[in-house]
Amino acid sequence: VCSSELSSGINAEYGVKSVVIYNRIDCCSDRIDGAKVWIGNGESWEECGTGTYTGASVISVPCNANGDAIAITNDNDYLTLCEVQVISVEQENPSEEMDEE
């Protein structure tokens, strides 16, 4: 099935630092150009950044958002990805802070 969108849940809320996309290298590598990375938190989505094709097989999109889901979309072409890594740090829950008394 050809699609211009990839989405996945992360299973918990995390602070996402970046999203690393491993692009297809045997053909069609330029299809990644203009792909947008989104971080979802419940029903709301925030755009983190856009992937730009430079000829490299690995594209890192900096991100500074909290969420429990990720989506990559491309309005211009199909997505042909090999792998996606979400680089994140688990968020601290303020309600679980220890009392210092």
Side-chain angles (χ1 to χ4, degrees):
V1 174
C2 295
S3 179
S4 61
E5 179 177 333
L6 168 96
S7 62
S8 179
I10 302 176
N11 297 327
E13 184 176 335
Y14 289 90
V16 178
K17 290 183 176 182
S18 65
V19 175
V20 181
I21 301 169
Y22 292 83
N23 198 17
R24 183 174 175 172
I25 59 174
D26 60 342
C27 84
C28 321
S29 299
D30 60 336
R31 287 182 180 172
I32 194 68
D33 197 44
K36 295 178 183 178
V37 175
W38 302 84
I39 301 298
N41 194 355
E43 295 295 318
S44 65
W45 288 87
E46 177 181 344
E47 183 180 340
C48 282
T50 302
T52 303
Y53 178 66
T54 62
S57 62
V58 179
I59 298 165
S60 181
V61 178
C63 195
N64 186 19
N66 295 326
D68 57 9
I70 179 175
I72 301 173
T73 63
N74 193 339
D75 297 334
N76 303 321
D77 212 336
Y78 296 117
L79 288 174
T80 53
L81 311 176
C82 291
E83 183 178 339
V84 175
Q85 285 184 318
V86 178
I87 310 301
S88 62
V89 176
E90 189 171 2
Q91 295 296 293
E92 292 181 27
N93 186 344
S95 64
E96 293 180 3
E97 288 182 10
M98 295 184 68
D99 196 6
E100 293 185 22
E101 294 183 346

Coordinates of all heavy atoms in Angstrom, one line a residue:
V1 N 0.8 -1.2 0.0 CA 0.0 0.0 0.0 C 0.9 1.2 0.0 O 1.8 1.4 0.8 CB -0.9 0.0 1.2 CG1 -1.7 1.3 1.3 CG2 -1.8 -1.2 1.2
C2 N 0.7 2.1 -0.9 CA 1.4 3.4 -1.0 C 0.7 4.4 -0.1 O -0.5 4.5 -0.2 CB 1.5 3.9 -2.4 SG 2.5 2.8 -3.5
S3 N 1.4 5.2 0.6 CA 0.9 6.2 1.5 C 1.8 7.4 1.6 O 3.0 7.3 1.4 CB 0.6 5.6 2.8 OG 0.1 6.6 3.7
S4 N 1.2 8.5 1.9 CA 2.0 9.7 2.1 C 2.0 10.1 3.6 O 2.3 11.2 4.0 CB 1.4 10.9 1.3 OG 0.1 11.2 1.7
E5 N 1.7 9.1 4.5 CA 1.7 9.3 5.9 C 2.1 8.0 6.7 O 1.8 6.9 6.3 CB 0.3 9.7 6.4 CG 0.2 9.9 7.9 CD -1.2 10.3 8.3 OE1 -1.9 10.9 7.5 OE2 -1.5 10.1 9.5
L6 N 2.9 8.2 7.7 CA 3.3 7.2 8.7 C 2.9 7.7 10.0 O 3.3 8.8 10.4 CB 4.8 6.9 8.5 CG 5.3 6.0 9.7 CD1 5.3 4.5 9.2 CD2 6.7 6.4 10.1
S7 N 2.3 6.9 10.9 CA 2.0 7.4 12.2 C 2.1 6.2 13.2 O 1.9 5.0 12.8 CB 0.6 8.0 12.4 OG -0.4 7.1 12.0
S8 N 2.5 6.5 14.4 CA 2.7 5.5 15.4 C 2.6 6.0 16.8 O 2.9 7.2 17.1 CB 4.1 4.8 15.3 OG 4.3 3.9 16.3
G9 N 2.0 5.3 17.7 CA 2.0 5.7 19.1 C 3.3 5.4 19.8 O 4.1 4.5 19.4
I10 N 3.6 6.1 20.9 CA 4.9 6.0 21.6 C 4.6 5.3 22.9 O 5.6 4.9 23.6 CB 5.6 7.4 21.8 CG1 5.8 8.0 20.5 CG2 6.9 7.2 22.5 CD1 6.4 9.4 20.6
N11 N 3.4 5.1 23.4 CA 3.0 4.3 24.6 C 3.1 5.1 25.9 O 2.7 4.6 26.9 CB 3.8 3.0 24.7 CG 3.5 2.1 23.6 OD1 2.4 2.1 23.0 ND2 4.5 1.3 23.2
A12 N 3.7 6.3 25.8 CA 3.8 7.2 27.0 C 4.1 8.5 26.5 O 4.6 8.7 25.4 CB 4.8 6.7 28.0
E13 N 3.9 9.6 27.4 CA 4.3 10.9 27.0 C 5.8 11.1 27.2 O 6.3 10.8 28.3 CB 3.5 12.0 27.7 CG 3.8 13.4 27.3 CD 3.0 14.4 28.0 OE1 1.9 14.1 28.4 OE2 3.5 15.5 28.1
Y14 N 6.5 11.6 26.2 CA 7.9 11.9 26.2 C 8.2 13.2 25.7 O 7.4 13.8 24.9 CB 8.7 10.9 25.3 CG 8.7 9.5 25.9 CD1 7.7 8.5 25.6 CD2 9.8 9.1 26.8 CE1 7.8 7.2 26.1 CE2 9.8 7.8 27.3 CZ 8.8 6.9 26.9 OH 8.8 5.6 27.4
G15 N 9.3 13.8 26.1 CA 9.9 15.0 25.5 C 10.7 14.5 24.3 O 11.7 13.8 24.4
V16 N 10.3 14.9 23.1 CA 11.0 14.4 21.9 C 12.1 15.5 21.5 O 11.7 16.6 21.2 CB 10.0 14.2 20.7 CG1 10.7 13.8 19.5 CG2 9.0 13.2 21.1
K17 N 13.3 15.0 21.4 CA 14.4 15.9 21.0 C 14.6 16.0 19.5 O 14.9 17.0 19.0 CB 15.7 15.4 21.6 CG 15.9 15.6 23.1 CD 17.2 15.2 23.6 CE 17.5 15.4 25.0 NZ 18.8 15.0 25.4
S18 N 14.5 14.8 18.9 CA 14.6 14.8 17.4 C 14.0 13.5 16.9 O 13.8 12.5 17.6 CB 16.1 14.9 17.0 OG 16.8 13.7 17.4
V19 N 13.8 13.5 15.6 CA 13.3 12.3 14.9 C 14.3 12.0 13.8 O 14.6 12.9 13.0 CB 11.9 12.6 14.3 CG1 11.4 11.4 13.5 CG2 10.9 12.8 15.4
V20 N 14.8 10.8 13.7 CA 15.8 10.4 12.8 C 15.2 9.5 11.7 O 14.6 8.5 12.1 CB 17.0 9.7 13.4 CG1 18.1 9.3 12.4 CG2 17.6 10.6 14.5
I21 N 15.3 9.9 10.5 CA 14.6 9.1 9.4 C 15.7 8.5 8.6 O 16.6 9.1 8.1 CB 13.8 10.1 8.5 CG1 12.7 10.8 9.3 CG2 13.2 9.3 7.3 CD1 12.0 11.9 8.6
Y22 N 15.6 7.2 8.4 CA 16.5 6.4 7.6 C 15.8 6.2 6.2 O 14.9 5.5 6.1 CB 16.9 5.1 8.2 CG 17.7 5.2 9.4 CD1 17.1 5.5 10.7 CD2 19.1 5.1 9.4 CE1 17.9 5.7 11.8 CE2 19.9 5.3 10.5 CZ 19.3 5.6 11.7 OH 20.1 5.8 12.8
N23 N 16.3 6.9 5.3 CA 15.7 7.0 4.0 C 16.0 5.8 3.1 O 17.1 5.2 3.2 CB 16.1 8.3 3.3 CG 15.3 8.8 2.2 OD1 14.1 8.3 2.0 ND2 15.8 9.6 1.3
R24 N 15.2 5.5 2.2 CA 15.4 4.5 1.2 C 16.6 5.0 0.3 O 16.6 6.1 -0.2 CB 14.2 4.3 0.4 CG 14.3 3.2 -0.6 CD 12.9 3.0 -1.3 NE 13.1 2.0 -2.3 CZ 12.0 1.5 -3.0 NH1 10.8 1.8 -2.7 NH2 12.2 0.6 -3.9
I25 N 17.5 4.1 0.0 CA 18.7 4.5 -0.9 C 18.8 3.8 -2.2 O 19.5 4.2 -3.1 CB 20.0 4.2 -0.1 CG1 20.2 2.8 0.3 CG2 20.1 5.1 1.1 CD1 21.6 2.4 0.9
D26 N 18.0 2.7 -2.4 CA 18.1 2.0 -3.7 C 17.3 2.7 -4.8 O 17.6 2.6 -6.0 CB 17.6 0.6 -3.6 CG 16.1 0.5 -3.1 OD1 15.6 1.5 -2.6 OD2 15.5 -0.6 -3.3
C27 N 16.3 3.5 -4.5 CA 15.6 4.4 -5.5 C 14.7 5.3 -4.7 O 14.5 5.2 -3.5 CB 14.8 3.6 -6.5 SG 13.2 3.1 -5.9
C28 N 14.3 6.3 -5.4 CA 13.2 7.2 -4.9 C 13.6 8.0 -3.7 O 12.7 8.5 -2.9 CB 12.0 6.4 -4.6 SG 11.6 5.1 -5.8
S29 N 14.9 8.2 -3.4 CA 15.3 8.8 -2.2 C 14.8 10.3 -2.0 O 14.6 10.7 -0.9 CB 16.9 8.9 -2.1 OG 17.4 7.5 -2.1
D30 N 14.6 10.9 -3.2 CA 14.2 12.3 -3.1 C 12.7 12.5 -2.7 O 12.3 13.6 -2.4 CB 14.4 13.0 -4.4 CG 13.6 12.4 -5.6 OD1 13.3 11.2 -5.5 OD2 13.4 13.1 -6.6
R31 N 12.0 11.4 -2.6 CA 10.6 11.5 -2.1 C 10.5 12.0 -0.7 O 9.4 12.5 -0.3 CB 9.9 10.1 -2.2 CG 9.6 9.6 -3.5 CD 8.9 8.3 -3.5 NE 8.7 7.8 -4.8 CZ 8.2 6.6 -5.1 NH1 8.0 5.7 -4.1 NH2 8.0 6.2 -6.3
I32 N 11.5 11.9 0.1 CA 11.5 12.4 1.5 C 11.5 13.9 1.6 O 11.1 14.5 2.6 CB 12.7 11.8 2.3 CG1 12.5 12.0 3.8 CG2 14.0 12.5 1.9 CD1 11.3 11.2 4.3
D33 N 11.9 14.6 0.5 CA 12.0 16.1 0.5 C 10.6 16.7 0.8 O 9.6 16.4 0.2 CB 12.5 16.6 -0.9 CG 13.0 18.0 -0.8 OD1 13.7 18.3 0.2 OD2 12.6 18.8 -1.7
G34 N 10.6 17.5 1.8 CA 9.4 18.2 2.2 C 8.5 17.5 3.2 O 7.4 17.9 3.6
A35 N 8.9 16.3 3.6 CA 8.2 15.5 4.6 C 8.1 16.3 6.0 O 9.1 16.8 6.4 CB 8.7 14.1 4.8
K36 N 7.0 16.3 6.6 CA 6.8 17.0 7.8 C 6.7 16.0 9.0 O 6.0 15.0 8.9 CB 5.5 17.8 7.8 CG 5.6 19.0 6.8 CD 4.3 19.7 6.8 CE 4.4 20.8 5.7 NZ 3.1 21.6 5.6
V37 N 7.3 16.3 10.1 CA 7.3 15.5 11.3 C 6.4 16.2 12.3 O 6.5 17.4 12.6 CB 8.7 15.3 11.9 CG1 8.7 14.6 13.2 CG2 9.7 14.7 10.9
W38 N 5.5 15.4 12.8 CA 4.5 15.9 13.8 C 4.6 15.1 15.1 O 4.8 13.9 15.0 CB 3.1 15.7 13.2 CG 2.8 16.3 11.9 CD1 3.1 15.9 10.7 CD2 2.2 17.6 11.7 NE1 2.8 16.8 9.7 CE2 2.2 17.8 10.3 CE3 1.7 18.6 12.6 CZ2 1.6 19.0 9.8 CZ3 1.1 19.7 12.0 CH2 1.1 19.9 10.6
I39 N 4.3 15.7 16.2 CA 4.3 15.1 17.5 C 2.9 15.3 18.0 O 2.4 16.4 18.1 CB 5.3 15.6 18.5 CG1 6.7 15.4 18.0 CG2 5.2 15.0 19.9 CD1 7.1 14.0 17.7
G40 N 2.2 14.2 18.4 CA 0.9 14.3 18.9 C 0.8 14.1 20.4 O 1.6 13.3 21.0
N41 N -0.1 14.8 21.0 CA -0.3 14.7 22.5 C -1.8 14.7 22.7 O -2.5 15.7 22.6 CB 0.3 15.8 23.2 CG 0.4 15.6 24.7 OD1 -0.1 14.6 25.2 ND2 1.1 16.5 25.4
G42 N -2.4 13.5 22.9 CA -3.8 13.4 22.9 C -4.4 13.7 21.6 O -4.0 13.0 20.6
E43 N -5.3 14.6 21.5 CA -5.9 15.0 20.2 C -5.2 16.1 19.4 O -5.6 16.4 18.3 CB -7.4 15.4 20.4 CG -8.3 14.2 21.0 CD -8.4 13.1 20.0 OE1 -8.6 13.4 18.8 OE2 -8.3 11.9 20.4
S44 N -4.2 16.7 20.1 CA -3.6 17.9 19.4 C -2.2 17.4 18.8 O -1.6 16.5 19.3 CB -3.3 19.0 20.4 OG -2.4 18.6 21.4
W45 N -1.9 18.0 17.7 CA -0.6 17.7 17.0 C 0.2 19.0 16.8 O -0.4 20.1 16.5 CB -0.9 17.1 15.6 CG -1.5 15.7 15.8 CD1 -2.8 15.3 15.9 CD2 -0.7 14.5 15.7 NE1 -2.9 14.0 16.0 CE2 -1.6 13.4 15.9 CE3 0.6 14.2 15.6 CZ2 -1.2 12.1 15.9 CZ3 1.1 12.9 15.6 CH2 0.1 11.9 15.8
E46 N 1.5 18.9 16.9 CA 2.4 20.0 16.7 C 3.4 19.6 15.7 O 4.0 18.6 15.8 CB 3.1 20.3 18.1 CG 4.1 21.4 18.0 CD 4.8 21.7 19.3 OE1 4.2 21.2 20.4 OE2 5.8 22.3 19.3
E47 N 3.6 20.5 14.7 CA 4.7 20.2 13.7 C 6.0 20.5 14.3 O 6.3 21.6 14.8 CB 4.4 21.1 12.4 CG 5.4 20.8 11.3 CD 5.2 21.7 10.1 OE1 4.1 22.2 9.9 OE2 6.2 21.8 9.3
C48 N 6.9 19.6 14.2 CA 8.3 19.7 14.7 C 9.2 20.3 13.7 O 10.1 21.1 14.0 CB 8.9 18.4 15.1 SG 8.3 17.8 16.7
G49 N 9.1 19.9 12.4 CA 10.0 20.3 11.4 C 9.8 19.6 10.1 O 8.9 18.8 10.0
T50 N 10.6 19.9 9.1 CA 10.5 19.4 7.8 C 11.8 18.7 7.4 O 12.9 19.3 7.6 CB 10.1 20.5 6.8 OG1 8.9 21.1 7.2 CG2 10.0 20.0 5.4
G51 N 11.7 17.5 6.8 CA 12.9 16.8 6.3 C 13.2 17.4 4.9 O 12.4 17.6 4.1
T52 N 14.5 17.6 4.7 CA 15.0 18.2 3.4 C 16.0 17.2 2.8 O 16.9 16.8 3.5 CB 15.7 19.5 3.6 OG1 14.8 20.4 4.3 CG2 16.2 20.1 2.3
Y53 N 15.7 16.8 1.6 CA 16.6 15.8 0.9 C 17.8 16.5 0.5 O 17.8 17.5 -0.3 CB 15.9 15.1 -0.3 CG 16.7 14.2 -1.0 CD1 17.2 13.0 -0.4 CD2 17.2 14.5 -2.3 CE1 18.0 12.1 -1.1 CE2 18.0 13.6 -3.0 CZ 18.4 12.4 -2.4 OH 19.2 11.5 -3.0
T54 N 19.0 16.0 0.9 CA 20.3 16.5 0.5 C 21.2 15.5 -0.1 O 22.3 15.7 -0.4 CB 21.0 17.1 1.8 OG1 21.3 16.0 2.7 CG2 20.2 18.2 2.5
G55 N 20.7 14.3 -0.3 CA 21.4 13.2 -0.8 C 21.9 12.2 0.3 O 22.3 11.1 0.0
A56 N 21.8 12.6 1.5 CA 22.2 11.8 2.6 C 21.1 10.7 2.9 O 19.9 11.0 2.7 CB 22.3 12.6 3.9
S57 N 21.5 9.6 3.4 CA 20.5 8.5 3.6 C 19.9 8.6 5.0 O 18.9 8.0 5.3 CB 21.2 7.1 3.5 OG 22.2 7.0 4.4
V58 N 20.5 9.4 5.9 CA 19.9 9.6 7.2 C 19.6 11.1 7.4 O 20.4 12.0 7.2 CB 20.9 9.2 8.3 CG1 20.3 9.4 9.7 CG2 21.3 7.7 8.2
I59 N 18.4 11.4 7.8 CA 17.9 12.8 8.0 C 17.4 12.9 9.4 O 16.6 12.2 9.9 CB 16.7 13.1 7.0 CG1 17.2 12.9 5.6 CG2 16.2 14.5 7.2 CD1 16.1 12.9 4.5
S60 N 18.0 13.9 10.1 CA 17.6 14.2 11.5 C 16.8 15.5 11.5 O 17.2 16.5 11.0 CB 18.8 14.3 12.4 OG 18.4 14.6 13.7
V61 N 15.6 15.4 12.1 CA 14.7 16.6 12.2 C 14.7 17.0 13.7 O 14.1 16.2 14.5 CB 13.3 16.3 11.7 CG1 12.4 17.5 11.8 CG2 13.4 15.8 10.2
P62 N 15.3 18.1 14.0 CA 15.2 18.6 15.4 C 13.8 18.8 15.9 O 13.0 19.3 15.1 CB 16.0 19.9 15.4 CG 16.8 19.9 14.1 CD 16.0 19.1 13.2
C63 N 13.6 18.5 17.1 CA 12.2 18.7 17.6 C 12.3 19.0 19.1 O 13.2 18.6 19.8 CB 11.5 17.3 17.5 SG 9.7 17.4 17.7
N64 N 11.4 19.8 19.6 CA 11.3 20.2 21.0 C 9.8 20.2 21.4 O 9.2 21.2 21.5 CB 12.0 21.5 21.2 CG 12.0 21.9 22.7 OD1 12.0 21.0 23.5 ND2 12.2 23.1 23.0
A65 N 9.3 19.0 21.5 CA 7.8 18.9 21.8 C 7.6 17.7 22.7 O 8.4 16.8 22.7 CB 7.1 18.7 20.5
N66 N 6.5 17.7 23.4 CA 6.1 16.6 24.3 C 4.9 15.9 23.6 O 4.0 16.5 23.1 CB 5.6 17.1 25.6 CG 6.8 17.7 26.4 OD1 7.9 17.3 26.3 ND2 6.5 18.7 27.2
G67 N 4.9 14.6 23.6 CA 3.8 13.9 23.1 C 3.9 12.4 23.3 O 4.8 11.8 23.8
D68 N 2.8 11.7 22.8 CA 2.7 10.2 22.9 C 2.5 9.6 21.6 O 2.1 8.4 21.5 CB 1.6 9.9 23.9 CG 0.2 10.5 23.5 OD1 0.1 11.0 22.4 OD2 -0.7 10.4 24.3
A69 N 2.7 10.3 20.5 CA 2.5 9.8 19.1 C 3.4 10.6 18.2 O 3.7 11.8 18.4 CB 1.1 9.8 18.7
I70 N 3.7 10.0 17.0 CA 4.5 10.6 16.0 C 3.8 10.4 14.7 O 3.3 9.3 14.5 CB 6.0 10.2 16.0 CG1 6.7 10.8 14.9 CG2 6.0 8.7 15.9 CD1 8.2 10.5 14.8
A71 N 3.9 11.3 13.8 CA 3.5 11.2 12.4 C 4.4 11.8 11.5 O 5.0 12.9 11.8 CB 2.1 11.7 12.2
I72 N 4.6 11.2 10.3 CA 5.4 11.9 9.3 C 4.5 11.9 8.0 O 3.9 10.9 7.6 CB 6.7 11.1 9.0 CG1 7.6 11.0 10.2 CG2 7.5 11.7 7.8 CD1 8.8 10.0 10.1
T73 N 4.4 13.1 7.5 CA 3.5 13.2 6.3 C 4.2 13.9 5.2 O 5.2 14.6 5.4 CB 2.3 14.1 6.6 OG1 2.7 15.4 7.0 CG2 1.4 13.5 7.8
N74 N 3.8 13.7 4.0 CA 4.4 14.4 2.8 C 3.2 14.6 1.8 O 2.7 13.7 1.2 CB 5.5 13.5 2.2 CG 6.3 14.3 1.2 OD1 5.8 15.3 0.7 ND2 7.5 13.8 0.9
D75 N 2.9 15.9 1.6 CA 1.9 16.3 0.7 C 2.3 16.2 -0.8 O 1.5 16.2 -1.7 CB 1.4 17.7 1.0 CG 0.8 17.9 2.4 OD1 0.3 16.9 2.9 OD2 0.9 19.0 2.9
N76 N 3.6 16.1 -1.0 CA 4.2 16.1 -2.3 C 4.4 14.7 -3.0 O 4.4 14.6 -4.2 CB 5.5 16.8 -2.4 CG 5.4 18.2 -1.8 OD1 4.5 18.9 -2.1 ND2 6.4 18.6 -1.0
D77 N 4.5 13.7 -2.2 CA 4.9 12.4 -2.8 C 4.6 11.3 -1.7 O 4.3 11.6 -0.6 CB 6.3 12.4 -3.2 CG 6.6 11.5 -4.4 OD1 5.8 10.6 -4.7 OD2 7.6 11.7 -5.1
Y78 N 4.7 10.0 -2.2 CA 4.7 8.9 -1.2 C 5.9 8.9 -0.3 O 7.0 9.4 -0.7 CB 4.7 7.6 -2.0 CG 3.5 7.4 -2.9 CD1 3.7 7.3 -4.3 CD2 2.2 7.3 -2.4 CE1 2.6 7.1 -5.1 CE2 1.1 7.1 -3.2 CZ 1.3 7.0 -4.6 OH 0.2 6.8 -5.4
L79 N 5.7 8.3 0.9 CA 6.8 8.1 1.8 C 7.4 6.8 1.5 O 6.7 5.8 1.4 CB 6.4 8.2 3.2 CG 6.0 9.5 3.8 CD1 5.4 9.4 5.2 CD2 7.2 10.5 3.8
T80 N 8.7 6.7 1.4 CA 9.4 5.4 1.2 C 10.6 5.4 2.2 O 11.7 5.7 1.9 CB 10.0 5.3 -0.2 OG1 10.7 6.4 -0.6 CG2 8.8 5.1 -1.2
L81 N 10.2 5.0 3.4 CA 11.2 5.1 4.5 C 11.7 3.7 4.9 O 10.9 2.7 4.7 CB 10.5 5.7 5.8 CG 9.8 7.0 5.6 CD1 9.1 7.4 6.9 CD2 10.8 8.0 5.1
C82 N 12.9 3.6 5.4 CA 13.4 2.3 5.9 C 13.2 2.1 7.4 O 12.8 1.1 7.9 CB 14.8 2.1 5.6 SG 15.1 1.9 3.8
E83 N 13.4 3.2 8.2 CA 13.3 3.2 9.6 C 13.2 4.6 10.2 O 13.6 5.6 9.6 CB 14.6 2.6 10.2 CG 14.7 2.4 11.7 CD 16.0 1.8 12.2 OE1 16.7 1.1 11.4 OE2 16.3 1.9 13.4
V84 N 12.5 4.7 11.3 CA 12.4 6.0 12.0 C 12.7 5.8 13.5 O 12.3 4.8 14.1 CB 10.9 6.5 11.9 CG1 10.7 7.8 12.7 CG2 10.5 6.7 10.4
Q85 N 13.6 6.7 14.0 CA 13.9 6.6 15.4 C 13.4 7.9 16.1 O 13.6 9.0 15.5 CB 15.4 6.5 15.6 CG 16.0 5.2 15.3 CD 17.5 5.2 15.6 OE1 18.2 6.1 15.3 NE2 18.0 4.1 16.3
V86 N 12.8 7.8 17.2 CA 12.4 8.9 18.0 C 13.4 9.1 19.2 O 13.5 8.2 20.0 CB 11.0 8.8 18.5 CG1 10.6 10.0 19.4 CG2 10.0 8.6 17.4
I87 N 14.2 10.2 19.2 CA 15.1 10.4 20.3 C 14.4 11.3 21.3 O 14.0 12.4 21.0 CB 16.4 11.2 19.7 CG1 16.9 10.5 18.5 CG2 17.4 11.3 20.8 CD1 17.3 9.0 18.7
S88 N 14.3 10.7 22.5 CA 13.5 11.4 23.5 C 14.0 11.2 24.9 O 14.8 10.3 25.2 CB 12.0 10.9 23.4 OG 12.0 9.5 23.7
V89 N 13.4 11.9 25.8 CA 13.7 11.8 27.3 C 12.3 11.7 27.9 O 11.4 12.5 27.7 CB 14.4 13.0 27.8 CG1 14.6 12.9 29.3 CG2 15.8 13.2 27.1
E90 N 12.1 10.7 28.8 CA 10.9 10.6 29.5 C 10.6 11.8 30.4 O 11.5 12.2 31.1 CB 10.9 9.3 30.3 CG 9.5 9.0 30.9 CD 9.4 7.6 31.6 OE1 10.5 6.9 31.6 OE2 8.4 7.3 32.0
Q91 N 9.4 12.3 30.3 CA 9.0 13.5 31.1 C 8.8 13.1 32.5 O 8.3 12.1 32.9 CB 7.7 14.1 30.5 CG 7.9 14.6 29.1 CD 8.9 15.8 29.1 OE1 8.7 16.8 29.6 NE2 10.1 15.5 28.5
E92 N 9.3 14.0 33.4 CA 9.1 13.8 34.8 C 7.6 14.2 35.1 O 7.1 15.1 34.6 CB 10.0 14.6 35.7 CG 11.4 14.2 35.6 CD 12.3 15.1 36.4 OE1 11.8 15.6 37.4 OE2 13.5 15.2 36.1
N93 N 7.0 13.4 36.0 CA 5.6 13.7 36.4 C 5.7 14.5 37.7 O 6.0 14.0 38.7 CB 4.8 12.4 36.6 CG 3.4 12.7 36.8 OD1 3.0 13.8 37.2 ND2 2.6 11.6 36.7
P94 N 5.3 15.8 37.6 CA 5.3 16.7 38.9 C 4.6 16.1 40.0 O 5.0 16.3 41.2 CB 4.7 18.0 38.4 CG 4.8 18.0 36.9 CD 4.8 16.5 36.5
S95 N 3.5 15.3 39.8 CA 2.8 14.8 40.9 C 3.5 13.6 41.6 O 3.1 13.2 42.7 CB 1.4 14.3 40.4 OG 1.6 13.2 39.5
E96 N 4.6 13.2 41.0 CA 5.3 12.1 41.6 C 6.6 12.6 42.3 O 7.5 11.8 42.7 CB 5.7 11.0 40.6 CG 4.5 10.3 40.0 CD 4.8 9.3 39.0 OE1 6.0 9.1 38.7 OE2 3.9 8.6 38.4
E97 N 6.8 13.9 42.4 CA 8.0 14.4 43.0 C 8.0 14.0 44.5 O 7.0 14.1 45.1 CB 8.1 15.9 42.8 CG 8.4 16.4 41.4 CD 8.5 17.9 41.3 OE1 8.5 18.6 42.4 OE2 8.6 18.4 40.2
M98 N 9.2 13.7 45.0 CA 9.3 13.3 46.4 C 9.3 14.6 47.3 O 9.8 15.6 46.9 CB 10.6 12.6 46.6 CG 10.6 11.2 45.9 SD 12.1 10.3 46.2 CE 11.8 9.9 47.9
D99 N 8.7 14.4 48.4 CA 8.6 15.5 49.4 C 10.0 15.5 50.1 O 10.5 14.5 50.6 CB 7.5 15.2 50.4 CG 7.1 16.4 51.2 OD1 7.6 17.5 50.9 OD2 6.3 16.3 52.1
E100 N 10.6 16.7 50.2 CA 11.9 16.8 50.8 C 11.9 17.0 52.3 O 12.9 17.4 52.9 CB 12.7 18.0 50.1 CG 13.0 17.7 48.6 CD 13.8 18.7 48.0 OE1 14.5 19.5 48.7 OE2 13.8 18.8 46.8
E101 N 10.8 16.9 52.9 CA 10.7 17.1 54.3 C 11.3 16.0 55.1 O 11.4 14.9 54.9 CB 9.3 17.3 54.8 CG 8.7 18.6 54.2 CD 7.3 18.8 54.7 OE1 6.7 17.9 55.3 OE2 6.9 19.9 54.6

